[in-house]
Amino acid sequence: MKNIKSIIWYSCLIAILLLGIYGVIVQTIEGHAVTGISKQVPWGIYIAAFTFFIGISAGSTIISFIIHVFKVEHLKSIEFKTIAVGLISLVGAVLFLIADVGNPIRMMKVPIIMRNTSSVFFYSSISYYIFGGLLVYQLVNYVRAIKNPKNEKFRRNARILAIILFPLAMGIVLVPDGALFSFVKAREFWNRPLLLPHFANAALVSAVAVMVVIAYISEKIEKVELLNLSAKVLIGYMLIFLVAGVLFLDLFDILVLRYSEKPEGIEAWKALTNEHLVFFLVNILGLVFAGILLLIRKGREFPNLFYSAILIILAISAYRYNLIIIGQEIPLFKGQNVELYFPTLIEIYICAGVTSFMTLSYHILIGKLKIKSIIKNNI
Amino acid sequence: MENSNRRNFIKRATLGSVGVATSAMILPKLKAFSQMTKNSLPVDSEWKSTTCQGCTSWCSQQVNVINGRAVRVRGNASSKVNMGEGCVRSHISLQQVYDPDRIKVPMKRTNPKKGRNEDPQFVPITWDEALDTIADKIMELRDNQETHKYMLMRGRYTYMRDLIYDRMTKIIGSPNNISHSAICAEAEKFGPYFTEGEWAYRQYDIKNAKYVLIWGADPLSANRQVAYYSAFWGDSLDHMQVAVVDPRLSITATKASEWLPVKPGEDGALASAIAHVLLTKGLWYKPFVGDFAENSAINRFEAGKEILEEKPGDVFQEIHTHGLIKWWNLELKDKTVEWAAEKTGLSAEQITRVAENFGKAAPQAISWVGGGPVMQARGGYASMACHVLNALTGAVDNEGGALKANKEYTISFPSPNDYIDAIAKAGKKHKKIDHRGRKEWPVLSKGKSGGGVITNNAAEGIINEDPNEIKVAIAYFNNFAFSCPQSERWERALSKIPFLVHCTTNGSEFTQFSDIVLPCSHHMYEKWGYVKSYANGYRHVTLLQPSIEPFWDVKIEETEIPWLLAEKLEKRGFSNLLDYYKSIKDPETNKAPETDKEFALFSLKYATQTLWDPNQYKGGDKFSGWDEFSKVGVWNSDPYPFRKRWGKMKTKTKKFEFFSETLKASLEAHAEKHHTDVDDILETCNYQARGEKAFVPHYEEPLMKGTKEEFPLVHVDFKSRFNREGRSANCTWYHELKDLDPGDNANEDVARLNPIDAKKYNIKDGDRIKLVSPVGEIECNAKIWEGNRPGTISKCYGQGHWAYGKVASEEFGKKPRGGNNNVIIPAEYDRLSGATAFYGTTRVKVVKI
Amino acid sequence: MENKKNQRRDFLKKAGLGLATIASVSAFSSPLPTNEEKKRLAMIVDLQKCTGCGACTLVCKNENNVQDGVFWANKICKTEGKFPNVRYDYIPTLCNHCDKAPCVKVCPTQAMHKDENGITMHDTEKCVGCRYCMVACPYQVISYNGEKPHKRWRSEEKLMVGTASPKELNEKVGGDTIPYYNPERAETYPGIRPKNVVEKCTFCDHLVKKGEKPRCVQRCPSKARTFGDLDNPNDKVVSLLGKHSPFRLKENLGTEPKVFYIRNFNPGKYPR
Amino acid sequence: MELLEKEKSASLYRFLAECFYYPDETQFSLIKELSDELIGLDNKFKLEDIEIDALQIEYSRLFVGPFKVLAPLYGSVYLEEGRKIFGDSTMDVMDIYKEESLKVDLKEPPDHISIELEFMSYLISKEVECIQCGNVELSSSYFNKQKAFLIRHLEKWIDDLFEKVMSQTENIFYKELVKSVKDKVFNDLENVYSN
């Protein structure tokens, strides 16, 4: 029974991955003309997805830091997974970038050969190399630490690295990536001081939510209780706190857009309440309902915690999508038409493919390293 | 050592001494260098002079040919008319000449059935086969003594046209050479002719003008002299005010101080009111018109009051004009501003303001008459009403005024009379297929009854075999099945012609009905010819010259094709045409042409000899010979002689006629021909005037097809600044820049509605709609636009080709891209001039799809 | 000498690609630094002279072999007001060659860069295709080649038996993809830009280098454009800027654009 | 008759200039075509027997050089101390070209032999033009310019180049070529521009 389920699950993942590969092939041959991007909206769903996953990557690294440094014993069990998720979503985010740029090979050379130190892109691409490298090293440390529970050296290494990774995640992953947008003066929708906190907050909450989902699924499928009750409660509180933060910032944004009466604000508000209404509602209502779910007593337990996590993930992806797309759809000049962006099938294929690839990688990472059992033993 | 070396060299480089100079011919003049001051282009790059015929501005242009390819276009700086400038449409010609959908080889039809939905199933044939077939058909007519059943249709032309349009038709023996003039703007010439004796368009001296009142013309985007006016418009705005009368916000209106969004067809009312204001406020230009007699009891014009003169000059002493008091009594006295405000839908204040400022600017106050108010049923009188304002302000022939064309000295081709044989003579005697000169068709071109053409009515003639059937027809540079209103009639007419030849660059709607298709050269890049035009106080004669080698098997339709046909006819025992053509010799060598190519060149040199031959010099630019002329590409006239025509006009009275004795004579002659009186003629021809009013400029109500109840909106047709006549729709540049016509959208064909109407008929921006008129319907997109007069729907002409190429039609031969206005415009005419009505004639309703 | 060798190799590479014409044959050495003075090139558009005809847009496409749907020179146009008081405005746009160009700042690879005359140039060899410049440019004048340019001209489909396919025509007349291809463009920048990179106006640097004006300036039918050196007090641009009060697009962003506008498109002296 | 001589002289300078370009296929066939035009060249100069590959190798070896340019084609190398490119003499030629409102299009230093030879050819053909229009004053000014240019530039270094090439190569084409150039320059100075 379990076998059949997992076969179906894996074949689904592989099918989606193949679809993604097909998309990549088509896009490589035809060029980005097969996507929905235009002169006015040069960045589409890839960049939205990129911001989402880079946020998760940084967020889950920060969680691992919290677990490690504050010695949150309840969460010890997911410590390794946070790093794994951090690494995989970083790879995923970079894959989205690769899907997005015209010359991926050239892009890989950006921080090494082709440098422009005034470009934020330069710093964020450096950060992917450093951050990625350190994450791999951290992962190795963990594996070694788990495999050699006696050897304190690896634990110490892991702790030091966690401490190093935290500012890295905050400072060189989240900041440049958030800033990637807010530095752009041309798009007033992005050029706001509160964009970065919003961006970071959303990153954290989505990372926690992803961890909850992983924990829940592991519990259901692998029958391993990763989180005990107090851990769940702790996470529940964390989520409430973060969701509230994001909601407050959302509310602030809405008020500013609605009442500032700057043309961009009015246009953005129009977009939010017309073409982007669905995403907007998913964003706000998702967070509200997640908050409500979490606030009720059962909310800090499975499966309610899981449901709220799902809602949060949906809400944050909607937020990312709106952030990227509306920011560009607003006309730059008075009298100019609003140009709408719609992702094409090929774009959706590729997005799904990359996501499926990340899921598969996670399975392989966890499965092949046989860490499952080790953890079990460890606990 | 040194010495021996030198000797060696000298031996070797005696080299030099035997004919080396040729190497200079292989090499470009400069290779390592470029001239700093001049354009430095790649070595094998050259600018060749030719002419753009994208519209009838006919600007002298130069083509940059690099490695044998035309790459760039610019205005020819040697022209004093367009002065090195050219408008945006000149550049689109590159996409025309390099249009992949151009026809490469002659083709013949294999599907005998003709009709809109019949695929002609063309197959390629050789030129020989094509011309043999045509020659056989012509010989058959000649053998049967029915040469009058031959017909020649032409659209655009160069002045080489006479060789095919006139001489060939006459020598074959047919009266039926039908030009497109009447779908151009014949009515625009009507007003000037019957007031000052000039059957021609005018040039306007905006460099010196203080006020320009424009009637339904859009000189910054279409016809005439777009290049010249564009170049000086901006700076002229410093010293001139502009008022534009147009139901839609044209680009000229956006660059004007006043926009008068008149109700379609009511221009005449506005013109009369302005004249009324000028007279009642004493703003007319006295040195030209004259003034009240010093001892006269009456010394001003008062609204509603007739002025009685016992004998002319009693009360008012005119100087260079004739009949002012008659005009006032017959037309103007009651045409108050309030009356006009109601008719035109404009505010009385605006009319008064415009009229007063216009009058105060006299004599540098131009009344600029475009096609809009005149290419209407009854438009001839509007043409007069608008044009005479120029006389009231003294702008006629004056600095800062409305001028005629300068003198030029081209030579017409020799008379064909000696080559017209008995058969041809008999054939020529038949009546023409377009019914000109009949009672209901006065067509008073140059004052002569039946003097002009009624292009669009030829379709009726063909369909009804009235006066006779047409068996063989040749057409070139035209597309009547697209360009003539109620175009469906042409589809029926062309289907009826048993043998139709089309000389064309692209397979067009017209071509779809042809039996033989002959691929033609592109006028600007592959053709020999010349045209004339005028602006800036000059007239130029500009050459069309091949700048690139034709890359397909194409021929020049006005010279090479008739020559080749003449050769074929000669082989069949009818040598008159070839003999005639051979009589046109190269003026330089006095050699008769032997090939089609020689004929094309020799005939051009013949026609322009006085311009380039220093021994025959008559005026204007002087050249050392043909080579220099051909290199420069354009001849300029002497500058304009202002005020030379005052008192010497070619009218009956030699004066500028407010009361047109000239028109009176013409109309009376036409009436006499049909044994009736002028009133009867006017009634037959749908005019409202009776009695003497028929001879003064006056307001006539617009004549529109359809009822207001069923078709609530009035259609406003206009021309795009990208239209190379109707021929740019297969160019991608045309479509992607279409939004440069204010109100239009790129890559779309839109009909524009005012938001008020849009709300009334529940149409949203971007809706797919159908425009339905009493005669047809077209599909396009809706555009909601404030620059449109409520109650009207404006749509640009130029799209809606169902056959012109891959880009022009959605599905070639079947489905048009956009809508062709001519499908919904009814075949209506200004019968006095023969002009086809395009404006203020069509009522439509909008149906959402 | 090592340098020379490289240049030589470059040359051979080019020749191998069949790009060598007589003109470029002799160009096997790298350009040596010229002693020409540095300039601060700028353009002035006189909106009163401008008639909104779009010739700038079209000749630009012609000069630079720009594909359908892409505009290096573009426009902003708007209709305002209510009938009959309607106003139409038109502002031609192009790359502003900003002194503080946001596109140059954000470009990760220096593909977008300033040249010695203040022209914002682009290097297709370095371009990653990340489109950050497009996002950062406040004027929307950069385009991205999402596919191989001039798709229409690569087609082998014929309209009917007696016509040619676009490809056939191009081969017949000897153009490069398009039959009216302008080879001069290729002197400083790819004649037709490859897929997956951005492209934009270069102030016709290939013409400017030869002492000519950009093509849109040369061919503006209403002579609305003036082009010159801001650092040269005798240049016409300087005196024009002094005579009128110019404005620039989105000056508040501090990008220091070098395309100036003077006077009004709409000269209406009465309320519209 | 003198006019024809001048025309020929201009052609010869132009031809010699062409010979100093890199002999790729186009250029080589151009040279060949031109040499056919130059009736009277003796067999040594006939290019039929010369292999283009060998010529290209030789050209690269002599004038471009992978490591060391054996016989640089720039005047400044011979005229300036320290053999630098772009010395005062280079500036001088630039000025001279500028006076004629000519701009060097070639991506080479302006004192490259091809450019200088072409410039001579240009001056002579200008002179011819002026003679044809009957502009005596201008034509004689062009004549003087030719003389000045030869004396100020080509004469000064052509001999050095000649020596260099003669000593560095066995290639008949280039040997003959530099010889011809040198002969032409000195011959002209002695016979044409002597007074």
Side-chain angles (χ1 to χ4, degrees), chain D residues 134-147:
Chain D
N135 193 336
V136 183
E137 212 169 293
L138 204 58
S139 73
S140 71
S141 100
Y142 275 116
F143 180 79
N144 294 335
K145 280 178 191 166
Q146 294 155 25
K147 185 178 173 183

Side-chain angles (χ1 to χ4, degrees), chain B residues 200-322:
Chain B
Y201 305 113
R202 287 145 312 283
Q203 49 176 330
Y204 300 100
D205 184 12
I206 62 162
K207 275 185 184 166
N208 298 307
K210 289 187 186 151
Y211 204 104
V212 181
L213 174 59
I214 300 183
W215 302 89
D218 192 3
L220 294 183
S221 78
N223 229 355
R224 317 196 115 73
Q225 309 314 336
V226 180
Y228 166 71
Y229 293 122
S230 299
F232 289 99
W233 201 263
D235 277 344
S236 294
L237 287 172
D238 286 339
H239 58 70
M240 74 180 182
Q241 288 185 57
V242 182
V244 174
V245 184
D246 203 320
R248 58 149 191 138
L249 187 71
S250 65
I251 192 70
T252 311
T254 70
K255 291 202 74 76
S257 19
E258 299 258 5
W259 174 40
L260 298 108
V262 69
K263 276 188 200 163
E266 304 287 353
D267 312 72
L270 181 61
S272 283
I274 289 175
H276 180 93
V277 173
L278 293 181
L279 291 182
T280 51
K281 302 233 159 132
L283 290 170
W284 71 89
Y285 186 65
K286 289 161 187 106
F288 184 74
V289 182
D291 205 347
F292 285 99
E294 267 177 44
N295 49 5
S296 159
I298 309 167
N299 58 5
R300 66 192 185 96
F301 293 98
E302 265 183 273
K305 280 193 185 163
E306 209 164 310
I307 294 174
L308 294 171
E309 277 187 317
E310 281 183 14
K311 62 178 199 309
D314 254 6
V315 178
F316 196 97
Q317 292 172 335
E318 292 185 75
I319 303 175
H320 297 300
T321 62
H322 168 82

Side-chain angles (χ1 to χ4, degrees), chain A residues 7 90 126 154 225 362:
Chain A
I7 286 170
L90 179 73
I126 286 187
F154 298 121
E225 196 190 41
Y362 178 81

Side-chain angles (χ1 to χ4, degrees), chain A residues 50-155:
Chain A
F50 158 75
T51 56
F52 180 72
F53 285 104
I54 204 79
I56 289 179
S57 172
S60 50
T61 313
I62 290 165
I63 297 168
S64 93
F65 164 80
I66 294 170
I67 298 169
H68 219 102
V69 176
F70 295 105
K71 299 207 168 109
V72 187
E73 286 301 326
H74 311 305
L75 299 180
K76 264 263 169 338
S77 52
I78 57 163
E79 198 184 343
F80 174 76
K81 296 199 173 182
T82 55
I83 291 298
V85 168
L87 181 62
I88 287 167
S89 32
L90 179 73
V91 171
V94 170
L95 284 178
F96 276 115
L97 272 190
I98 288 175
D100 184 65
V101 302
N103 297 286
I105 307 218
R106 261 183 224 168
M107 188 200 68
M108 305 305 276
K109 294 190 236 163
V110 162
I112 308 157
I113 304 168
M114 301 171 140
R115 286 187 296 268
N116 177 15
T117 47
S118 71
S119 170
V120 200
F121 213 104
F122 166 66
Y123 295 105
S124 50
S125 53
I126 286 187
S127 73
Y128 308 144
Y129 281 94
I130 300 178
F131 194 61
L134 289 176
L135 280 177
V136 170
Y137 187 45
Q138 178 72 321
L139 207 66
V140 171
N141 270 331
Y142 272 113
V143 173
R144 284 183 175 170
I146 291 163
K147 281 187 177 164
N148 311 298
K150 299 273 159 52
N151 197 335
E152 270 301 308
K153 193 181 127 202
F154 298 121
R155 289 233 145 250

Side-chain angles (χ1 to χ4, degrees), chain B residues 41-53:
Chain B
L41 294 176
V43 278
D44 39 1
S45 152
E46 200 185 341
W47 287 94
K48 293 186 176 172
S49 301
T50 183
T51 302
C52 172
Q53 286 194 297

